[in-house]
Amino acid sequence: DIVMTQTPLSSPVTLGQPASISCRSSQSLVHSDGNTYLSWLHQRPGQSPRLLIYKTSNRFSGVPDRFSGSGAGTDFTLKISRVEAEDVGIYYCMQATQFPRTFGQGTKVEIK
Amino acid sequence: QVQLVESGGGVVQPGRSLTLSCTASGFTFSSAGMNWVRQVPGKGLEWVAVIWYDGSKKLYADSLKGRFTISRDNSKNTLYLRMNSLRAEDTAIYYCARDSHSVRFDYWGQGTLVTVSS
């Protein structure tokens, strides 16, 4: 199984300041079709996860442009350019290149 | 708009069975792969199973050891998860999530809580 490792696990941030989360996979996430199926999910307290970024760097429908994804191979990053109050919650990276699908442990983002 | 609504959760005794449902609307259900993902309250996400758009292929997490069965009825726009021989460690919120043609896990339901307890 591909192990997904996120850092940090907790990130206190100041409103309006940037935030960054890293995700490393134990194997390359490049699929045989050439795509890299690395996604980022956001889960607010008491809610279900929602997709933010897919295939490393594509923002999903309705996701604000302050969110961006980057990376390749085994190293990936989610950046929030200016954190807003609604961005609190837990962020997960996940891979859908291989079965079983696997998730990172989650990074809790909270406001200082 | 895309909607996924899970149902069927509740309290069940260890060793018993339970079937969850996920009713889809707002898209062509028969064209989408579907997943089940679970989350112990306060913990991380665990992928459970996937079924191909036409039901032709099903894959499961190894940890389930044949106790769970995923299925679908495209005429009813509904996804199912049959869970047998339930254990305390199966206690979790169960979510269904869609795989579209090029985007995996693009929409999620609100989840249904399963509590396995005597």
Side-chain angles (χ1 to χ4, degrees):
Chain A
D1 298 3
I2 297 177
V3 177
M4 307 296 289
T5 303
Q6 290 181 228
T7 54
L9 298 184
S10 179
S11 180
V13 296
T14 301
L15 287 174
Q17 293 301 302
S20 180
I21 301 169
S22 294
C23 177
R24 176 166 289 179
S25 58
S26 60
Q27 303 174 35
S28 172
L29 296 187
V30 179
H31 193 274
S32 56
D33 66 7
N35 290 305
T36 299
Y37 292 98
L38 184 283
S39 298
W40 290 95
L41 307 168
H42 177 215
Q43 186 174 35
R44 294 189 179 109
Q47 295 187 14
S48 56
R50 69 175 185 124
L51 180 66
L52 294 177
I53 302 288
Y54 64 97
K55 286 193 280 189
T56 303
S57 59
N58 297 275
R59 269 190 304 277
F60 188 56
S61 174
V63 175
D65 60 8
R66 64 180 181 273
F67 290 93
S68 64
S70 62
T74 61
D75 287 283
F76 304 91
T77 302
L78 175 70
K79 292 183 180 178
I80 310 174
S81 59
R82 296 172 305 279
V83 173
E84 297 190 6
E86 64 181 17
D87 299 337
V88 299
I90 301 177
Y91 290 79
Y92 296 94
C93 62
M94 68 155 291
Q95 65 81 20
T97 294
Q98 283 189 23
F99 288 102
R101 308 310 197 198
T102 49
F103 299 84
Q105 319 96 299
T107 295
K108 187 173 186 178
V109 171
E110 52 193 0
I111 306 300
K112 282 182 184 175
Chain B
Q1 71 281 21
V2 173
Q3 270 200 310
L4 299 170
V5 179
E6 300 93 338
S7 60
V11 180
V12 59
Q13 292 179 330
R16 303 297 291 262
S17 298
L18 196 65
T19 298
L20 306 181
S21 300
C22 168
T23 303
S25 60
F27 67 100
T28 304
F29 181 70
S30 58
S31 297
M34 295 296 298
N35 298 271
W36 286 101
V37 175
R38 68 183 181 181
Q39 183 176 38
V40 174
K43 302 297 183 183
L45 300 166
E46 178 187 18
W47 176 78
V48 170
V50 66
I51 186 168
W52 260 232
Y53 69 99
D54 59 355
S56 60
K57 189 169 182 177
K58 306 170 186 181
L59 295 171
Y60 300 90
D62 286 345
S63 62
L64 300 178
K65 294 182 180 178
R67 296 186 298 119
F68 288 13
T69 302
I70 190 172
S71 62
R72 65 191 297 159
D73 186 337
N74 285 346
S75 68
K76 296 182 178 178
N77 288 351
T78 303
L79 171 74
Y80 302 99
L81 185 68
R82 172 71 172 179
M83 305 183 292
N84 295 329
S85 304
L86 282 162
R87 306 167 180 169
E89 54 264 38
D90 295 318
T91 294
I93 301 168
Y94 286 75
Y95 299 101
C96 58
R98 188 183 82 161
D99 278 348
S100 68
H101 175 67
S102 60
V103 184
R104 311 286 191 257
F105 296 82
D106 58 352
Y107 288 95
W108 296 62
Q110 87 290 348
T112 187
L113 176 63
V114 173
T115 302
V116 183
S117 173
S118 54

